[in-house]
CSV table of all heavy atoms in Angstrom, one decimal:
chain,number,residue,atom,x,y,z
A,132,VAL,N,107.7,190.7,-18.9
A,132,VAL,CA,108.1,192.1,-18.6
A,132,VAL,C,107.9,192.9,-19.9
A,132,VAL,O,108.4,192.6,-20.9
A,132,VAL,CB,109.6,192.1,-18.2
A,132,VAL,CG1,110.0,193.6,-17.9
A,132,VAL,CG2,109.8,191.3,-16.9
A,133,TYR,N,107.1,194.0,-19.7
A,133,TYR,CA,106.8,194.9,-20.7
A,133,TYR,C,107.6,196.2,-20.4
A,133,TYR,O,107.0,197.2,-19.8
A,133,TYR,CB,105.3,195.2,-20.8
A,133,TYR,CG,104.5,194.0,-21.2
A,133,TYR,CD1,104.1,193.1,-20.2
A,133,TYR,CD2,104.2,193.6,-22.5
A,133,TYR,CE1,103.3,191.9,-20.5
A,133,TYR,CE2,103.5,192.5,-22.8
A,133,TYR,CZ,103.0,191.7,-21.8
A,133,TYR,OH,102.3,190.5,-22.1
A,134,ASP,N,108.8,196.3,-20.7
A,134,ASP,CA,109.7,197.4,-20.5
A,134,ASP,C,109.5,197.9,-19.1
A,134,ASP,O,109.5,197.2,-18.2
A,134,ASP,CB,109.4,198.5,-21.5
A,134,ASP,CG,109.7,198.1,-23.0
A,134,ASP,OD1,110.7,197.3,-23.1
A,134,ASP,OD2,108.9,198.4,-23.9
A,135,ASP,N,109.3,199.2,-18.9
A,135,ASP,CA,109.1,199.8,-17.6
A,135,ASP,C,107.6,200.1,-17.3
A,135,ASP,O,107.2,200.9,-16.5
A,135,ASP,CB,109.8,201.1,-17.5
A,135,ASP,CG,111.4,200.9,-17.4
A,135,ASP,OD1,111.8,199.8,-17.0
A,135,ASP,OD2,112.1,201.7,-17.8
A,136,LEU,N,106.7,199.4,-18.0
A,136,LEU,CA,105.3,199.6,-17.9
A,136,LEU,C,104.6,198.7,-16.9
A,136,LEU,O,104.0,199.1,-15.9
A,136,LEU,CB,104.6,199.5,-19.2
A,136,LEU,CG,105.0,200.5,-20.3
A,136,LEU,CD1,104.4,200.2,-21.6
A,136,LEU,CD2,104.7,201.9,-19.8
A,137,PHE,N,104.8,197.4,-17.1
A,137,PHE,CA,104.2,196.4,-16.1
A,137,PHE,C,104.9,195.1,-16.3
A,137,PHE,O,105.4,194.7,-17.3
A,137,PHE,CB,102.7,196.3,-16.2
A,137,PHE,CG,102.1,195.8,-17.5
A,137,PHE,CD1,101.8,194.5,-17.7
A,137,PHE,CD2,101.9,196.7,-18.6
A,137,PHE,CE1,101.3,194.1,-18.9
A,137,PHE,CE2,101.4,196.3,-19.7
A,137,PHE,CZ,101.0,195.0,-19.9
A,138,HIS,N,104.8,194.3,-15.2
A,138,HIS,CA,105.3,192.9,-15.1
A,138,HIS,C,104.2,192.0,-14.7
A,138,HIS,O,103.3,192.3,-13.9
A,138,HIS,CB,106.4,192.8,-14.1
A,138,HIS,CG,107.6,193.7,-14.3
A,138,HIS,ND1,108.4,194.1,-13.3
A,138,HIS,CD2,108.0,194.4,-15.4
A,138,HIS,CE1,109.3,194.9,-13.7
A,138,HIS,NE2,109.1,195.2,-15.0
A,139,ALA,N,104.1,190.8,-15.3
A,139,ALA,CA,103.1,189.8,-15.0
A,139,ALA,C,103.9,188.5,-14.6
A,139,ALA,O,104.7,188.0,-15.4
A,139,ALA,CB,102.1,189.5,-16.1
A,140,GLY,N,103.7,188.0,-13.3
A,140,GLY,CA,104.5,186.9,-12.9
A,140,GLY,C,103.7,185.8,-12.3
A,140,GLY,O,102.7,185.9,-11.7
A,141,TYR,N,104.2,184.5,-12.6
A,141,TYR,CA,103.7,183.4,-11.9
A,141,TYR,C,104.8,182.9,-10.9
A,141,TYR,O,106.0,182.8,-11.2
A,141,TYR,CB,103.5,182.2,-12.9
A,141,TYR,CG,103.2,180.9,-12.2
A,141,TYR,CD1,102.0,180.6,-11.6
A,141,TYR,CD2,104.2,179.9,-12.2
A,141,TYR,CE1,101.7,179.4,-11.0
A,141,TYR,CE2,103.9,178.7,-11.5
A,141,TYR,CZ,102.7,178.5,-10.9
A,141,TYR,OH,102.4,177.2,-10.3
A,142,ILE,N,104.4,182.6,-9.6
A,142,ILE,CA,105.3,182.3,-8.5
A,142,ILE,C,104.9,181.0,-7.9
A,142,ILE,O,103.7,180.8,-7.6
A,142,ILE,CB,105.2,183.4,-7.5
A,142,ILE,CG1,105.5,184.8,-8.1
A,142,ILE,CG2,106.2,183.1,-6.3
A,142,ILE,CD1,105.1,185.9,-7.2
A,143,ASP,N,105.9,180.1,-7.9
A,143,ASP,CA,105.6,178.7,-7.2
A,143,ASP,C,106.8,178.5,-6.3
A,143,ASP,O,108.0,178.2,-6.8
A,143,ASP,CB,105.5,177.7,-8.3
A,143,ASP,CG,105.2,176.3,-7.7
A,143,ASP,OD1,104.6,176.3,-6.6
A,143,ASP,OD2,105.6,175.3,-8.3
A,144,ILE,N,106.6,178.6,-5.0
A,144,ILE,CA,107.8,178.6,-4.1
A,144,ILE,C,107.6,177.5,-3.0
A,144,ILE,O,106.5,177.2,-2.5
A,144,ILE,CB,107.8,180.0,-3.3
A,144,ILE,CG1,108.2,181.1,-4.3
A,144,ILE,CG2,108.8,180.0,-2.1
A,144,ILE,CD1,108.0,182.5,-3.7
A,145,TRP,N,108.7,176.8,-2.8
A,145,TRP,CA,108.8,175.8,-1.8
A,145,TRP,C,109.9,176.0,-0.8
A,145,TRP,O,110.6,175.1,-0.4
A,145,TRP,CB,108.9,174.4,-2.4
A,145,TRP,CG,107.7,174.0,-3.2
A,145,TRP,CD1,107.5,174.3,-4.5
A,145,TRP,CD2,106.5,173.4,-2.7
A,145,TRP,NE1,106.2,173.8,-4.9
A,145,TRP,CE2,105.6,173.3,-3.8
A,145,TRP,CE3,106.1,172.9,-1.5
A,145,TRP,CZ2,104.4,172.7,-3.7
A,145,TRP,CZ3,104.8,172.3,-1.4
A,145,TRP,CH2,104.0,172.2,-2.5
A,146,SER,N,110.1,177.3,-0.4
A,146,SER,CA,111.0,177.7,0.6
A,146,SER,C,110.5,178.9,1.3
A,146,SER,O,109.6,179.5,0.8
A,146,SER,CB,112.4,177.9,0.0
A,146,SER,OG,112.3,179.0,-0.9
A,147,ARG,N,111.1,179.3,2.4
A,147,ARG,CA,110.6,180.4,3.2
A,147,ARG,C,111.1,181.7,2.6
A,147,ARG,O,110.5,182.8,2.8
A,147,ARG,CB,111.0,180.3,4.7
A,147,ARG,CG,110.2,179.1,5.3
A,147,ARG,CD,110.4,179.1,6.8
A,147,ARG,NE,109.4,178.2,7.4
A,147,ARG,CZ,109.7,176.9,7.5
A,147,ARG,NH1,110.8,176.4,7.1
A,147,ARG,NH2,108.8,176.1,8.0
Side-chain angles (χ1 to χ4, degrees):
V132 178
Y133 298 88
D134 297 324
D135 290 333
L136 296 175
F137 62 96
H138 306 159
Y141 169 75
I142 305 165
D143 184 25
I144 292 171
W145 293 92
S146 61
R147 291 190 170 86

